[in-house]
Amino acid sequence: PERWILVDTQAMTLSVMQGDVVRRSYENISIGRGGTTVAKRRHDDKTPIGEFRIVRIATDTPFHRFFGLDYPSLQHAEQALKNNLISEAELVSIREALRAKRAPPQTTRLGGYIGIHGIGQGDPAIHENFHWTNGCIALTNDQVDDLNQWIHRGMRVIVR
């Protein structure tokens, strides 16, 4: 069965799944300080809901580790085009990047640079008590180090 990630923004957990079996679970995650949304916009500090893929793995970042998601998804982009938030050309660029399994353009009005990461040199007490990210999913550095063994490019991530 496929190995994938489930981010539950109600239970505040991130689980590594194998089919429908939980292989590993991390509690007390942090999300965007603005909560969650299906219609993310740049600078809204909200975590997008949906299905994504891991397109970038960085091990030396200010956030300790960063597993970049292919946000915006085609679904987000198509809805944004209908709402006149992005152009047809931006939709085409997003579609082409996703087909090539690359990160889509990150600087449209939909925002970008969404991923799963650690807290880096941040304050663990803030992480424990507040949602503090600009839209990402954050774990402690120890948790993200442990998660690293399960992650691979192309891995499916569902945020709900």
Side-chain angles (χ1 to χ4, degrees), residues 39-87:
K40 178 163 181 53
R41 303 291 176 265
R42 183 175 39 203
H43 304 304
D44 68 2
D45 293 334
K46 293 182 179 181
T47 299
I49 300 293
E51 184 172 322
F52 309 97
R53 297 278 175 178
I54 301 280
V55 292
R56 181 172 158 236
I57 297 175
T59 57
D60 185 21
T61 77
F63 294 108
H64 190 64
R65 292 182 188 275
F66 186 89
F67 309 122
L69 303 181
D70 63 350
Y71 174 83
S73 70
L74 188 55
Q75 205 172 18
H76 288 104
E78 288 172 342
Q79 187 60 48
L81 179 66
K82 288 178 187 173
N83 295 337
N84 294 316
L85 291 171
I86 63 171
S87 68

Side-chain angles (χ1 to χ4, degrees), residues 3 5 53-61 63-70 101-103 114-117 144-145 147-157:
R3 189 178 330 141
I5 301 288
R53 297 278 175 178
I54 301 280
V55 292
R56 181 172 158 236
I57 297 175
T59 57
D60 185 21
T61 77
F63 294 108
H64 190 64
R65 292 182 188 275
F66 186 89
F67 309 122
L69 303 181
D70 63 350
K101 300 186 183 333
R102 294 189 325 262
I114 300 296
I116 301 166
H117 60 70
V144 83
D145 280 344
L147 178 62
N148 186 57
Q149 70 183 308
W150 300 94
I151 293 289
H152 61 84
R153 284 179 53 91
M155 186 175 211
R156 187 166 58 113
V157 177

